[in-house]
């Protein structure tokens, strides 16, 4: 999958924030300065800054510029449908994926409080490490009639890249539920957590543009590694 100009710039700026070249509480160079620095258009720079604000890296302040926020935790956008590989590339997380299981199973009978129609599925369980430390366990069920198989190589790289660019599936939207729960023994051990520790669990149902269900996902996040961000606009009802 090719990397766009704005993703390259966003990744570079994120790394500079991570390594304190741009320290928390300081301002990034102005839009004009960034345009000259990266040899690109102002429109591209604005797209970069919008993405970085949505990911919780900066806060744009009118009349002052882009304030660098404290990157003590990595920010996951709640509303978006972003793959872990895309976040890794954008945030410079120094992440790696370890495949724990690639098999075939049936859908769970209930999910997110709903009864789920029986489906044969490709089952993936993956551990995400950041800077060598366990951070996330992702569990995915993909409908087998839409996704006949996933190779181990694809599972360790990016399944969304494979689904969209190889299988030509048009992933459109997801519904999500986020809870904080006690980690079971297996998850706690995988994430190097103490017994009875809490994890942040994000459950998602992912749909194609024709509204058909494609995927069920359960992501177990160490609460000390991530924060979850969203953008809300006031609407009068």
């Amino acid at each position: 999958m090719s990397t766009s100009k704005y993703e390259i710039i966003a990744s570079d700026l994120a790394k500079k924030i991570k390594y304190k070249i741009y320290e928390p509480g300081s301002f990034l160079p102005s839009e004009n300065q960034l345009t000259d620095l990266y040899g690109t258009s102002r429109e591209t720079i604005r797209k970069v800054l919008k993405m970085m604000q949505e990911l919780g890296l900066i806060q744009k302040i009118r009349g002052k510029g882009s304030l660098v926020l404290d990157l003590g935790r990595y920010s996951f956008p709640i509303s978006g449908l972003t793959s872990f590989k895309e976040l890794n590339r954008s945030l410079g997380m120094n992440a790696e994926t370890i495949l724990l299981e690639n098999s075939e199973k049936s859908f769970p009978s209930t999910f997110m409080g709903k009864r789920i129609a029986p489906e044969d599925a490709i089952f993936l369980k993956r551990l995400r490490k950041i800077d060598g430390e366990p951070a996330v366990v992702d569990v995915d069920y993909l409908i087998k009639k839409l996704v006949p198989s996933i190779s181990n190589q694809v599972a360790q790289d990016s399944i969304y890249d494979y689904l969209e660019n190889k299988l030509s599936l048009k992933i459109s939207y997801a519904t999500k539920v986020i809870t904080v729960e006690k980690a079971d023994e297996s998850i706690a051990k995988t994430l190097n957590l103490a017994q009875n520790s809490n994890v942040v669990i994000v459950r998602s149902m992912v749909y194609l543009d024709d509204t058909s269900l494609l995927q069920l996902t359960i992501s177990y996040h160490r609460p000390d590694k991530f924060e979850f961000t969203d953008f809300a606009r006031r609407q009068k009802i």
Side-chain angles (χ1 to χ4, degrees):
M1 182 173 62
S2 61
T3 304
S4 66
K5 178 77 171 177
Y6 89 90
E7 288 175 318
I8 293 170
I9 296 170
S11 177
D12 184 62
L13 286 172
K15 288 175 182 175
K16 288 177 178 176
I17 291 173
K18 178 180 178 181
Y19 293 110
K20 304 285 173 65
I21 295 172
Y22 299 126
E23 294 189 354
S26 67
F27 285 88
L28 293 181
S30 69
E31 289 184 5
N32 286 338
Q33 290 171 324
L34 290 171
T35 297
D36 292 339
L37 178 63
Y38 289 103
T40 190
S41 68
R42 194 156 182 182
E43 180 182 353
T44 297
I45 292 300
R46 285 176 174 168
K47 189 174 182 180
V48 168
L49 296 177
K50 181 176 183 292
M51 175 184 177
M52 295 181 71
Q53 177 162 281
E54 289 173 351
L55 292 173
L57 300 179
I58 63 171
Q59 176 63 45
K60 296 187 74 176
I61 300 176
R62 186 166 183 167
K64 292 188 176 182
S66 300
L67 180 69
V68 177
L69 302 180
D70 189 352
L71 194 60
R73 297 180 180 181
Y74 291 101
S75 298
F76 265 41
I78 294 172
S79 300
L81 255 176
T82 306
S83 73
F84 192 86
K85 182 178 180 179
E86 290 166 341
L87 282 171
N88 181 36
R89 185 171 60 232
S90 297
L91 297 180
M93 294 189 297
N94 190 28
E96 62 177 316
T97 295
I98 298 172
L99 180 62
L100 302 177
E101 185 175 347
N102 183 355
S103 61
E104 295 183 15
K105 293 188 178 182
S106 298
F107 264 14
S109 58
T110 60
F111 193 78
M112 288 170 49
K114 301 177 182 179
R115 292 191 63 82
I116 303 296
E119 289 282 358
D120 292 330
I122 299 298
F123 176 85
L124 301 175
K125 186 175 182 180
R126 295 172 291 172
L127 170 64
R128 318 292 197 166
K129 286 187 172 183
I130 297 176
D131 293 325
E133 295 185 6
V136 183
V137 174
D138 280 333
V139 173
D140 296 282
Y141 296 83
L142 293 137
I143 292 181
K144 197 173 186 328
K145 65 187 178 186
L146 295 173
V147 186
S149 65
I150 295 281
S151 70
N152 290 347
Q153 181 179 356
V154 166
Q156 291 183 157
D157 184 37
S158 172
I159 62 172
Y160 273 24
D161 183 21
Y162 176 72
L163 297 177
E164 292 175 324
N165 297 312
K166 299 297 183 182
L167 299 186
S168 299
L169 296 173
K170 295 182 179 179
I171 300 169
S172 181
Y173 65 96
T175 57
K176 299 183 182 184
V177 171
I178 300 175
T179 58
V180 177
E181 303 175 24
K182 296 290 184 185
D184 65 32
E185 185 176 349
S186 173
I187 293 296
K189 183 177 180 180
T190 304
L191 290 177
N192 285 350
L193 293 171
Q195 191 175 5
N196 295 321
S197 294
N198 287 333
V199 287
V200 178
I201 302 178
V202 182
R203 295 178 174 88
S204 306
M205 300 177 71
V206 181
Y207 296 85
L208 301 177
D209 64 349
D210 64 0
T211 73
S212 59
L213 179 63
L214 169 68
Q215 176 187 18
L216 305 179
T217 297
I218 311 170
S219 293
Y220 302 86
H221 296 255
R222 284 184 59 133
D224 60 332
K225 293 292 184 183
F226 296 96
E227 62 185 16
F228 295 85
T229 63
D230 197 7
F231 176 79
R233 188 179 297 279
R234 165 78 171 128
Q235 294 187 29
K236 294 183 178 180
I237 299 176

